[in-house]
Amino acid sequence: MNIQGIGMVSALGRGIDSLETVLETGPIAPSMIEVPFRPALFPVYAVAKETLKDKTALSRMRRADRFSKMAVLAAIDALQNAGIELHDPARTGVVLGTAFGPHPTVFSFLDDILEFGDDAVSPTLFSHSVHNAAASYVSVALGLAGPAMTLTTFTDPFHQSLLLAQTWLDQGVCDSVLVGGVEECGTVMEYIVSRKLRIADDETNIQPFFAEGGPSVIPGEGAVFFLLGREPAGPYSVQFGQIGSKAEPAPDLWIVDFECPALPSSAPAGCWSHLAGSMPTSTAVSCAAGALILKNGTVYSQTSLVKIETVQPMQIGCIGHKKTNIYLGKS
Amino acid sequence: MAADKETALQEIREILKVKLIEQLSLEDVKPEEITDELPLFGEGLGLDSLDAVEIIVLLQRNFGVEVKDAQESREIFQSVNTLAEYIYQQKTGA
């Protein structure tokens, strides 16, 4: 599966250039927001309202929630980044991976049932609480008529999405697939993170799972989409290889997700996904960073981790939560 | 008496404009841009049938007023003015 284009929406801004910039210059400060469950301000890598303002791209999405808007903008940008025309809309699929889906919308809907009764809840809110709404919006926004699927799973949602895309391409269901990881931060997510993990005071105190003293994170949100096809196209000359639990052959460089419980021992390793905030679909950010590393031949030093050596990687392994690997290599 | 009614209607109109923007995600519209007589659907504010369903929910939640007759709703949903009149009638029986 060749990476033909990448689009990204995060606290870093919009477009793959926003990731490339922080890979070169270093982490930005998170937003400090008020939350109802603790007196101190809470750090979050939140997507700015201005980032989601695009009257042209979102012209038919007045009612859409933030989750769908992030997905659509990242998918549009992936296509634009590829610089190619999709000739047959029916041959392009959409796979969206997420751990929590549009959970702020879901909780708003549930809150409204409790507050107003089930006959006075917004039908629009209900339709957006359905997890496949965002993938459908992507299809509509880009005029696609291929299959659109959302995979909601806490464990490695982006890995699962790539596997589905690979199946569609291998079986000839599609000629190209837009595959994305999308996560939204809201009060519920912030509360869960604050209960389960240690929250870093600022971007200088982020510590991964395997660091001494345990994990210290700043939650994030955003969307990363890849346009994938069988043939090389676009600016990267990078392809996805094996996806699974086998860690062989050892790549030239491991990219670990922030939540990865242990470092691999076999090769230099780095972590970059936390630059956009910690989220269950961080592997999508890791893969975007990996594609940039392979494209530019540069192992960016702006990581809070780990054992970076001077290498010129030809093959990269990205590890998610459960030590599931995604291999990236030159096309 | 007429003055009291006009004051009440004015208050309802102001709340309606804010709630319409909020509930219908009309991010680029300001309350003062929605004139009392501006048609809500079609030309005017440009709302559609999905918005009509949201307005029914809005009236129920914020004013405790129900709209059940489809034919009746066509007349009620003309403008902020007609909405305010309907709410006033339902609340006061006037």
Side-chain angles (χ1 to χ4, degrees), chain A residues 6-16 18-19 45 47 51-52 66-78 96-97 134 138 158 179-184 220-226 276 279 281 284-285 288:
Chain A
I6 306 175
M8 181 166 169
V9 170
S10 73
L12 309 175
R14 188 175 160 191
I16 190 64
S18 64
L19 178 62
Y45 280 114
V47 175
T51 305
L52 299 180
R66 295 179 75 242
F67 188 87
S68 291
K69 286 179 180 174
M70 290 192 293
V72 166
L73 293 178
I76 286 174
D77 289 353
L96 189 156
V138 170
F158 184 67
V179 182
V182 187
E183 224 60 72
E184 183 179 1
E221 64 177 1
V224 184
F225 264 86
F226 294 81
M279 53 186 148
T281 46
V285 182

Side-chain angles (χ1 to χ4, degrees), chain A residues 290-313:
Chain A
L292 288 171
I293 288 169
L294 288 168
K295 172 179 169 256
N296 298 329
T298 306
V299 179
Y300 299 96
S301 59
Q302 296 292 348
T303 171
S304 60
L305 303 170
V306 271
K307 40 183 186 183
I308 294 291
E309 295 166 15
T310 308
V311 289
Q312 189 82 23

Side-chain angles (χ1 to χ4, degrees), chain A residues 53 55 62-63 69 112 116 119-125, chain B residues 23-28 48 50-51 53-54 57 60-61:
Chain A
K53 282 191 177 164
K55 283 186 183 170
R62 163 164 63 88
R63 300 180 181 93
K69 286 179 180 174
D112 283 358
F116 302 109
D119 59 344
V121 292
S122 158
T124 305
L125 201 57
Chain B
Q23 194 87 15
L24 307 181
S25 306
L26 302 169
E27 283 178 2
D28 296 330
D48 57 29
L50 283 176
D51 294 311
V53 182
E54 288 294 336
V57 172
Q60 199 169 338
R61 279 188 190 186

